[in-house]
Amino acid sequence: MARRSRTDGAQDKPSRPALNRDEVLRFISENPDRATKRDIAKAFGVKGDARADLKDILNDLQADGVLEGGRKSYVQPGALPTMGVLDVRGRDDEGDLVAVPTNWDLDRHGEAPRFRLRQPRTGPAAGVGDRVLAHLDYDAQGGPEARTIRVLDRKRAVALGVFRSRPGGGGRVEPVERQQPEYAIAPDETGQARNGDLVEVEPHRSHRAGLPTARVAQVLGGLGTEKAISTIALHAHGIPHVFPKSVLEEADAAGPAPLDGREDWRSLPLVTIDPRDAKDHDDAVHAAPDADPANPGGHVVTVAIADVSFYVRPGSKLDAEARLRGNSVYFPDRVVPMLPERISNDLCSLREGVDRPAIAVRMVFDKDGDKRSQRFHRILMRSHAKLAYEDAQAAVDGAADAADPAIVDTVLRPLWRAYAALRVARQRRQPLELDFPERKIVLRADGKVDRVVIPARLDAHKLIEEMMIQANVAAAEVLEQARQALIYRAHDAPSLSRLEALRDFLRSLDIPLAKSGTLRPSHFNQILAAVRDTEHESLVNEVVLRSQSQAAYSPENIGHFGLNLMRYAHFTSPIRRYADLIVHRALVTALSLGEGGLSREDEAGLEATAEEISKAERRAMAAERDTVDRLIAHHLADHVGDSFAGRITGVTRAGLFVQLPTFGADGFVPIGTLGRDYFHYDETAHTIVGQRTHLGYRLGDTVEVKLVEAIPLAGSMRFEMLTEPRKLPTSSASHHKARGRTLRPGRRPGGGGRGKRR
């Protein structure tokens, strides 16, 4: 083969610009984000001796004052950067995030611009307090705009506290979170905060001797307001709680859904059964005997769910805000909704006697509760009755005035008969039957705790729960059959390490646990049944609960271990959960039900969406838990010195967590207050045992404690143990001296509170 000439070879490569001053300067002007010496050399094909020529050209341009920089990148004098690091500071009236440059050359470029931040819908979203890398556009329509490349740091260091003014100016900020220091505030950094205000502060990076210093970044309101406790949780966990003006305007502009494109089901007597104080109603149910002779004793169950997908479309302001929030957050004193009230409490709420759009699934079950078929419909419905759980149950039980007599025999009793069949199937399926009572805090008009109640667990609750589960299963099955991407509610089996720890613990109680390869929820149910009404019941329930994995959202189907289901997706609460809205859109797309389906961009970003809403769910749970802790600590602050019945819900090297069952909150007993003995901590047996006395305490023990300190703002309580230790098996674990081992009052080990132990 003949060798190609150098001339022939050159024709195969793109021509490069000549290496001269004008071309180098033009390249830097047109490529400000890649103007390092290496970038320039690569662009001009500079190699070998030519590097010296390039260096001379760059030095001459700098000497003539037409080029600056050189350490990292070259720029023309006065040129604005096209890429930069921004701090997200807040939102504007349109709901867009507003960000400012982290480092800005004020002398060179003048006042720093405020950028409206645009985010990719398929990647992790930035939030207020985050630091991002972004492309910068100074001439965008509507003002400077930045486009997120990636999130560099999540929620920069901020702290919450109560501002206490100081004579002469300035003040200090008392902490409201565990493991948070007190801060000193200079007179010119108070942000006009007044004594007693709840504030958010930005700590300074360094300080000299004395208290760490900070500046007040935002005044959140007075501590004496009714919603102060939940306000602390909202800001501590970064939960959006004020709808931007543009989102509210979009919601207010929405109107009733038309019948066009829907099936008219307004004559079907669907009813809602909810808590008595519910403000939105997103599910309605109906059941009737199956008229098919081939299914004797069977039932047709209909579950209708508010059609949120009709109102909240992909790419809209409503959609962006809903995804950011992820779910509604429920506090004892208020609800922070995922959607504005115009949508959640009005247009999408299945109000009695009002036409409302819905997506319904009609399921046929046989007499044993096994499903024979299912089909989804996009409908216009009208709820025929609004019932509270207690009233529906009372009506079925025979109370004359609990509900309209016209619906008792025609609507309620068929529902209960259908549930009886579903209950039989549930018993065969054997989901995990961990039943921890839910507590509800009842507040007074001033926002303080009145009492804590445990609502009765009625068949009405179980009926709605099981019908919602069946509707969720149907959604997952139909979408899988259609090969439609969706977000599953995933719950993995317990990990091998947790199972081994559980097996070791149960062995100490002479309770066997099957090999991990064959474990099903039924095996755990057998264990729970074996200890029912024994001294070990609460202990074993607690340990079995801790052995379980945490449920999350995922585009990959791994099944739901706890419910013992192969396919499961959240479909029944789109008003309050973004995951359900995604499933609604997927159904609209897969079944060609009209407008409001899942966009291609949404499909491409399902993994990121699932991750974001899983984080939002955990964030909401932590905020709700912290609020309960603070409310109860505030409620009991006047009862320091009183004794209470409690139960040990956590055993650590540092001491014991004791929950007060009456209130559903817990406090800490430092190990140093338990007696003058060396204590062994046995992680497997969940005990601490005195080395000399062989007396100690175990997870699940019922004890009596005295409240010695309550810190309402931190939501922490410290107890003194009144119950004497009991005889327990000796431990082989490493021992820890109790004497002198105390915790700083109000601080919990690990700083995570209950959330770290679950």
Side-chain angles (χ1 to χ4, degrees):
M1 180 181 293
R3 179 181 298 177
R4 288 192 305 177
S5 70
R6 295 180 64 181
T7 305
D8 292 337
Q11 292 174 351
D12 294 336
K13 298 180 180 180
S15 61
R16 298 181 183 275
L19 183 61
N20 58 58
R21 283 173 53 108
D22 292 340
E23 291 300 329
V24 169
L25 197 58
R26 179 180 297 139
F27 176 82
I28 293 172
S29 176
E30 295 174 352
N31 301 275
D33 55 339
R34 54 186 187 96
T36 66
K37 187 178 293 184
R38 178 179 295 180
D39 290 328
I40 299 169
K42 185 177 180 181
F44 287 89
V46 174
K47 296 180 180 179
D49 294 341
R51 292 183 181 275
D53 295 336
L54 175 60
K55 182 178 180 180
D56 290 340
I57 290 174
L58 293 172
N59 288 340
D60 288 345
L61 289 171
Q62 287 182 291
D64 293 343
V66 295
L67 200 63
E68 294 180 350
R71 294 184 62 186
K72 290 186 177 181
S73 183
Y74 291 95
V75 295
Q76 291 180 287
L80 295 169
T82 59
M83 183 184 301
V85 177
L86 307 178
D87 290 330
V88 185
R89 287 290 176 84
R91 290 171 174 266
D92 60 20
D93 289 340
E94 298 299 314
D96 293 316
L97 293 172
V98 175
V100 298
T102 303
N103 297 303
W104 185 258
D105 192 332
L106 189 64
D107 294 334
R108 183 178 173 196
H109 299 307
E111 186 177 352
R114 292 169 62 85
F115 292 93
R116 185 173 68 255
L117 189 65
R118 298 296 190 202
Q119 305 192 69
R121 291 184 57 207
T122 57
V128 177
D130 291 349
R131 179 166 286 178
V132 301
L133 178 66
H135 287 294
L136 309 180
D137 182 358
Y138 301 88
D139 301 317
Q141 185 177 4
E145 186 173 291
R147 180 166 49 85
T148 301
I149 299 173
R150 64 178 178 272
V151 179
L152 300 176
D153 290 308
R154 289 289 183 187
K155 195 165 177 63
R156 293 178 302 107
V158 293
L160 292 174
V162 179
F163 181 76
R164 301 299 183 191
S165 58
R166 189 171 52 195
R172 59 186 177 85
V173 171
E174 297 176 349
V176 300
E177 297 182 81
R178 304 178 184 104
Q179 293 188 330
Q180 177 185 306
E182 189 172 310
Y183 292 99
I185 308 297
D188 60 343
E189 294 188 312
T190 62
Q192 298 183 334
R194 294 180 295 182
N195 190 58
D197 278 349
L198 184 64
V199 297
E200 189 175 74
V201 299
E202 290 183 355
H204 294 146
R205 291 189 174 183
S206 61
H207 65 279
R208 297 179 180 178
L211 291 177
T213 60
R215 75 172 188 88
V216 174
Q218 187 177 4
V219 178
L220 305 179
L223 191 62
T225 60
E226 295 179 11
K227 296 183 177 181
I229 298 297
S230 55
T231 298
I232 292 174
L234 290 173
H235 285 267
H237 294 278
I239 296 175
H241 61 287
V242 177
F243 284 108
K245 180 182 177 182
S246 61
V247 174
L248 295 175
E249 288 176 347
E250 197 170 276
D252 290 340
L259 180 58
D260 293 347
R262 298 178 182 276
E263 299 174 50
D264 190 348
W265 283 22
R266 287 176 289 183
S267 62
L268 184 71
L270 289 152
V271 298
T272 62
I273 305 178
D274 290 297
R276 193 177 300 281
D277 57 355
K279 294 182 179 178
D280 57 67
H281 309 277
D282 53 9
D283 59 84
V285 293
H286 178 267
D290 188 5
D292 185 355
N295 186 29
H299 305 270
V300 179
V301 174
T302 300
V303 176
I305 306 298
D307 188 1
V308 178
S309 63
F310 177 78
Y311 292 102
V312 184
R313 302 294 179 89
S316 66
K317 296 284 187 181
L318 278 167
D319 181 50
E321 185 70 16
R323 185 180 187 271
L324 179 68
R325 295 182 177 222
N327 47 248
S328 298
V329 186
Y330 294 84
F331 297 114
D333 62 339
R334 65 168 129 174
V335 176
V336 179
M338 184 180 78
L339 298 169
E341 287 191 5
R342 170 64 173 162
I343 303 295
S344 61
N345 292 3
D346 185 4
L347 294 175
C348 284
S349 185
L350 307 182
R351 294 180 174 180
E352 181 179 2
V354 180
D355 293 354
R356 287 290 181 258
I359 294 180
V361 57
R362 181 165 279 168
M363 300 170 286
V364 179
F365 297 91
D366 65 19
K367 61 182 177 59
D368 297 319
D370 291 323
K371 186 167 56 181
R372 293 166 59 93
S373 65
Q374 59 201 10
R375 186 175 179 183
F376 283 85
H377 307 258
R378 205 169 198 181
I379 68 170
L380 192 69
M381 61 160 285
R382 182 180 297 162
S383 172
H384 284 228
K386 170 189 171 183
L387 299 167
Y389 286 115
E390 297 82 1
D391 294 337
Q393 186 69 57
V396 170
D397 291 342
D401 300 328
D404 184 351
I407 69 167
V408 175
D409 290 329
T410 59
V411 177
L412 295 183
R413 295 200 188 281
L415 278 168
W416 257 252
R417 285 193 288 267
Y419 168 61
L422 295 179
R423 186 173 57 212
V424 171
R426 178 187 175 95
Q427 290 168 350
R428 284 198 309 273
R429 190 176 84 237
Q430 288 243 4
L432 186 59
E433 298 289 359
L434 281 169
D435 191 13
F436 288 92
E438 293 188 12
R439 290 169 176 80
K440 181 177 181 179
I441 296 180
V442 180
L443 302 180
R444 302 198 305 254
D446 61 0
K448 296 181 180 178
V449 176
D450 180 26
R451 64 190 186 279
V452 180
V453 298
I454 301 178
R457 178 79 167 152
L458 306 172
D459 278 346
H461 294 98
K462 299 175 185 177
L463 178 151
I464 295 299
E465 178 183 284
E466 189 61 27
M467 289 186 176
M468 297 305 113
I469 288 174
Q470 293 301 326
N472 288 335
V473 171
E477 290 178 344
V478 165
L479 290 173
E480 270 202 7
Q481 290 166 5
R483 300 182 181 275
Q484 171 64 52
L486 72 148
I487 289 179
Y488 294 90
R489 181 61 169 177
H491 184 222
D492 206 353
S495 66
L496 291 176
S497 60
R498 289 188 176 187
L499 286 176
E500 283 305 311
L502 177 62
R503 189 173 284 109
D504 290 342
F505 162 72
L506 293 174
R507 191 179 294 119
S508 70
L509 300 179
D510 295 323
I511 300 175
L513 180 63
K515 294 296 183 182
S516 57
T518 59
L519 275 181
R520 295 288 184 271
S522 58
H523 292 98
F524 293 101
N525 290 340
Q526 291 169 10
I527 293 168
L528 298 174
V531 297
R532 192 164 295 132
D533 299 325
T534 71
E535 63 173 321
H536 300 306
E537 180 177 8
S538 61
L539 167 63
V540 173
N541 269 267
E542 191 76 38
V543 176
V544 168
L545 173 64
R546 297 180 187 200
S547 72
Q548 304 303 306
S549 301
Q550 186 174 27
Y553 293 107
S554 172
E556 301 297 326
N557 182 25
I558 62 171
H560 197 294
F561 180 82
L563 292 173
N564 199 14
L565 293 167
M566 295 294 293
R567 298 167 190 83
Y568 194 67
H570 274 168
F571 157 73
T572 55
S573 295
I575 287 177
R576 62 185 180 91
R577 293 188 305 225
Y578 195 77
D580 303 54
L581 175 56
I582 291 290
V583 170
H584 274 238
R585 289 174 178 167
L587 288 165
V588 170
T589 296
L591 304 178
S592 301
L593 297 178
E595 300 177 349
L598 199 64
S599 70
R600 294 188 179 218
E601 192 174 6
D602 283 338
E603 282 194 27
L606 284 183
E607 185 172 354
T609 298
E611 182 180 351
E612 291 296 313
I613 60 179
S614 293
K615 290 178 181 177
E617 179 185 47
R618 293 191 291 270
R619 176 183 69 186
M621 291 170 61
E624 291 165 0
R625 196 165 51 235
D626 288 353
T627 298
V628 169
D629 284 348
R630 288 188 173 100
L631 282 169
I632 297 303
H634 191 271
H635 179 58
L636 296 179
D638 295 332
H639 295 271
V640 171
D642 291 356
S643 60
F644 300 89
R647 186 170 67 88
I648 296 176
T649 56
V651 180
T652 73
R653 287 182 175 86
L656 304 170
F657 287 93
V658 176
Q659 185 181 81
L660 306 183
T662 303
F663 302 102
D666 61 35
F668 192 68
V669 180
I671 201 169
T673 65
L674 292 177
R676 300 171 66 86
D677 199 353
Y678 291 87
F679 279 82
H680 292 278
Y681 165 62
D682 190 330
E683 185 176 5
T684 299
H686 301 276
T687 61
I688 55 171
V689 183
Q691 179 178 332
R692 177 173 52 83
T693 62
H694 302 300
L695 303 177
Y697 301 91
R698 187 177 217 165
L699 183 74
D701 282 355
T702 299
V703 295
E704 186 177 2
V705 293
K706 181 171 73 173
L707 179 63
V708 295
E709 184 177 37
I711 307 178
L713 291 179
S716 63
M717 295 182 289
R718 184 162 57 89
F719 296 136
E720 177 185 319
M721 182 65 72
L722 299 179
T723 299
E724 293 295 326
R726 62 189 179 96
K727 189 76 172 179
L728 290 172
T730 55
S731 169
S732 60
S734 60
H735 65 267
H736 301 270
K737 189 176 181 181
R739 188 177 179 182
R741 281 185 59 85
T742 59
L743 291 179
R744 177 178 172 180
R747 176 177 289 185
R748 292 179 174 177
R754 291 183 297 171
K756 285 286 186 183
R757 308 197 321 278
R758 288 188 173 180

